[in-house]
């Protein structure tokens, strides 16, 4: 089996096709050198001290800080360790991940609850997730999301429910989906691309459905945030076409080109979801974890000083900077999965760029960190040094907009092969702290 990348996607041709040329090439989903895969409720939670965690914009001590970990379920990347475990074993593994987060003095877990248009809760919209039992649609005999919320809160951890909006399957055969799957009931919603199946973002009925499916979890559970990853329109695959011409002909007449129409489709999904979240539960956050490069400076003078092979604005049709400026998201976690000094995408250059983007917006900025690269022999020399990630936090401490970090991913939080996470904890997390609050009611932003 080929290795899986940042969010469970198989690496290979797609990643290679996205690499920039020259030293320090950057890919979208590979695992080679320079690659990119990619407050506790009142009552039950134990007290968490208000540690001083670095200066804020005014020079005063910062008492809150986001310290998160992604728990990926797609292809059983982090949890469950394999499909088909008993309910008792699945639950035990989940609780072990939560306990490890506490031991590492983290305060939030970002659990992937909708990996491939299926669900880790009893959803009326979509089948039970295949990663649980090995068979999509089969009841696992327990409620993973409900348990995760309850047990995370009991440990003083926030639970951010992580959804992937459009991915349907990591294959292109609809008959492998459960018989009642929405993608089989509505084949006109689905497009194959790059060896996978996707819902078509250009269809209004698709955008409505995926919102309904995701927000069902918000209605049912006391989650602390709705969280999206970096996949909107799929990462480009050389030689393949995302065949949405029919939808463009039907709905794209007011736009100068297909790219503008696609970006508007993504904007509609983001802004619509933001509004619905606040209508359902105003105190629940909405966060997005985009690929770390909005646009390269050679493409746009307002872009970052990078030469990345993927730009979210141009390739994923996701104008992440606009979402921040419009106040559609409460927090953003750019995936800065590169080492300090990498020529194509230098962590030390991207960090201040994102800090400037959030300035004055009220949107929280947390940095996505590539813990999975630490100690990987396929990665550059910088990632063989246990101090690389700790140096990232040293840099971040000098940028007042950065209010925390999130680590990919749970498996590496536990195994910590070269001690990179232990070094971060020793250098930066002497005690636990509370995560930042949402923007206060009445904040004057543009939500």
């Amino acid at each position: 089996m080929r290795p899986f990348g940042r969010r469970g996607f198989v690496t290979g041709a797609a990643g290679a096709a996205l690499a920039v040329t020259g030293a320090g090439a950057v890919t979208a989903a590979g695992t080679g050198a320079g690659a990119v895969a990619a407050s506790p409720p009142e009552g039950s939670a134990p007290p968490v001290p208000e540690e001083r965690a670095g200066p804020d914009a005014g020079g005063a001590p910062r008492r809150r800080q986001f310290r998160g970990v992604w728990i990926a379920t797609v292809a059983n990347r982090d949890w469950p360790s394999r499909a088909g475990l008993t309910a008792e074993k699945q639950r035990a593994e989940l609780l072990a991940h939560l306990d490890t987060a506490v031991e590492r003095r983290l305060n939030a877990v970002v659990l992937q609850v909708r990996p491939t248009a299926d669900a880790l809760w009893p959803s009326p919209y979509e089948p039970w997730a295949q990663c649980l039992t090995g068979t999509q649609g089969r009841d696992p005999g327990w409620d993973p999301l409900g348990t995760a919320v309850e047990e995370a809160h009991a440990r003083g951890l926030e639970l951010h429910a992580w959804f992937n909006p459009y991915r349907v399957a990591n294959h292109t055969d609809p008959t492998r989906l459960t018989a009642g799957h929405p993608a089989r009931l509505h084949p006109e919603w689905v497009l194959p691309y790059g060896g996978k199946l996707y819902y078509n973002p250009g269809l209004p009925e698709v955008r409505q459905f995926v919102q309904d499916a995701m927000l069902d979890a918000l209605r049912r559970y006391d989650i602390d945030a709705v969280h999206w990853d970096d996949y909107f329109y799929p990462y480009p695959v050389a030689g393949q076409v995302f065949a949405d011409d029919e939808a463009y002909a039907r709905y794209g007449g007011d736009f100068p080109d297909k790219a503008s129409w696609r970006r508007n489709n993504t904007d509609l999904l983001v802004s619509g979801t933001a509004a619905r979240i606040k209508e359902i539960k105003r105190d629940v956050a909405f966060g997005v974890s985009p690929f770390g490069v909005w646009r390269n400076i050679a493409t746009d003078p307002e872009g970052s000083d990078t030469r990345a092979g993927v730009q979210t604005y141009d390739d994923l049709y996701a104008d992440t900077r606009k979402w921040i400026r419009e106040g559609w998201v409460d927090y953003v976690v750019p995936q800065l999965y590169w080492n300090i000094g990498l020529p194509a995408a230098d962590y030390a250059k991207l960090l201040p760029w994102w800090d400037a983007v959030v300035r004055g917006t009220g949107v929280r900025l947390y940095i996505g960190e590539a813990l999975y690269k630490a100690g990987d022999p396929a990665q550059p020399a910088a990632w063989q040094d246990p101090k690389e990630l700790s140096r990232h936090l040293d840099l971040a401490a000098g940028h007042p907009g950065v209010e925390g970090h999130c680590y990919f991913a749970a498996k590496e939080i536990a195994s910590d092969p070269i001690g990179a996470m232990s070094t971060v904890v020793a250098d930066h997390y002497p005690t636990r702290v509370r995560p930042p609050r949402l923007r206060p009611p009445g904040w004057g932003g543009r939500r």
Side-chain angles (χ1 to χ4, degrees):
M1 178 181 292
R2 289 180 292 167
F4 283 86
R6 163 66 175 88
R7 296 298 198 199
F9 278 74
V10 179
T11 64
L18 296 171
V20 297
T21 57
V26 181
T27 69
T31 55
V36 180
S39 24
E42 295 181 4
S44 61
V48 180
E50 298 263 13
E51 176 196 332
R52 295 188 174 189
D56 62 16
R62 178 180 295 157
R63 295 180 178 273
R64 291 175 177 260
Q65 185 182 60
F66 188 85
R67 302 175 183 175
V69 54
W70 280 287
I71 303 178
T73 60
V74 65
N76 298 95
R77 198 274 179 196
D78 293 319
W79 174 80
S81 60
R82 62 178 176 85
L85 297 176
T86 65
E88 292 77 13
K89 180 63 174 174
Q90 289 178 19
R91 185 178 188 278
E93 286 188 351
L94 175 62
L95 298 190
H97 281 302
L98 300 182
D99 288 339
T100 299
V102 172
E103 291 167 6
R104 299 295 191 186
R105 298 175 187 146
L106 307 182
N107 55 28
V109 292
V110 185
L111 176 64
Q112 190 175 36
V113 300
R114 187 178 181 264
T116 51
D118 49 16
L120 269 74
W121 74 96
S123 168
Y125 295 94
E126 293 176 312
W128 280 105
Q130 182 177 358
C131 64
L132 296 170
T133 64
T135 301
Q136 191 175 67
R138 179 180 292 172
D139 190 332
W142 68 303
D143 182 355
L145 177 52
T147 300
V149 171
E150 180 179 355
E151 295 290 345
H153 288 171
R155 290 162 173 77
L157 297 165
E158 287 192 346
L159 193 290
H160 294 219
W162 163 18
F163 306 86
N164 185 285
Y166 292 128
R167 182 174 59 216
V168 174
N170 283 331
H171 58 75
T172 58
D173 183 1
T175 66
R176 292 171 58 184
L177 303 173
T178 187
H181 196 290
R184 295 187 68 176
L185 299 177
H186 300 278
E188 71 279 7
W189 289 1
V190 181
L191 292 172
Y193 181 79
K196 310 182 194 307
L197 292 175
Y198 297 92
Y199 284 128
N200 185 350
L203 299 179
E205 57 269 34
V206 162
R207 296 193 298 270
Q208 178 69 37
F209 172 77
V210 298
Q211 288 184 52
D212 291 344
M214 291 184 288
L215 296 180
D216 179 67
L218 174 62
R219 295 180 188 276
R220 289 170 178 260
Y221 301 100
D222 186 24
I223 63 176
D224 296 286
V226 171
H227 181 100
W228 288 354
D229 54 25
D230 50 319
Y231 295 105
F232 295 96
Y233 278 84
Y235 280 90
V237 178
Q240 299 201 24
V241 176
F242 192 70
D244 57 353
D245 284 351
E246 183 178 342
Y248 179 49
R250 193 185 319 168
Y251 299 110
D254 294 334
F255 297 89
D257 51 47
K258 185 184 282 188
S260 299
W261 171 72
R262 285 177 172 177
R263 274 189 292 275
N264 185 68
N265 293 333
T266 312
D267 286 349
L268 289 173
L269 180 74
V270 174
S271 60
T273 302
R276 291 184 66 183
I277 289 170
K278 299 312 175 188
E279 290 169 0
I280 297 167
K281 292 182 181 178
R282 185 166 178 80
D283 60 342
V284 170
F286 181 28
V288 177
S289 175
F291 180 81
V293 176
W294 172 71
R295 302 188 92 183
N296 294 319
I297 196 169
T299 306
D300 187 321
E302 295 188 5
S304 52
D305 185 9
T306 50
R307 301 193 307 276
V310 171
Q311 303 168 90
T312 61
Y313 182 95
D314 303 273
D315 298 305
L316 307 182
Y317 307 98
D319 190 353
T320 51
R321 189 182 69 162
K322 177 181 179 178
W323 307 343
I324 293 168
R325 290 179 167 183
E326 294 292 335
W328 293 341
V329 295
D330 294 297
Y331 70 81
V332 63
V333 195
Q335 296 170 26
L336 303 193
Y337 288 174
W338 303 285
N339 57 278
I340 296 169
L342 183 73
D346 187 346
Y347 184 98
K349 293 181 178 179
L350 279 161
L351 189 75
W353 187 89
W354 283 99
D355 182 36
V357 167
V358 302
R359 192 170 302 144
T361 66
V363 174
R364 304 289 191 188
L365 173 61
Y366 315 137
I367 304 300
E369 301 286 354
L371 177 63
Y372 74 98
K373 288 187 175 182
D376 182 346
Q379 298 297 333
W383 291 106
Q384 313 313 315
D385 182 353
K387 296 286 288 184
E388 173 67 22
L389 278 183
S390 184
R391 285 192 285 268
H392 290 194
L393 273 69
D394 289 337
L395 275 178
H399 294 84
V402 179
E403 297 188 74
H405 303 260
C406 195
Y407 301 92
F408 194 85
K411 185 164 60 177
E412 288 77 16
I413 287 282
S415 63
D416 200 17
I418 61 170
M421 192 65 211
S422 297
T423 302
V424 166
V425 173
D427 291 349
H428 300 279
Y429 299 163
T431 64
R432 294 183 73 197
V433 297
R434 297 184 187 275
R437 297 183 180 92
L438 277 175
R439 288 174 289 190
W443 177 78
R446 299 180 61 185
R447 180 176 300 286

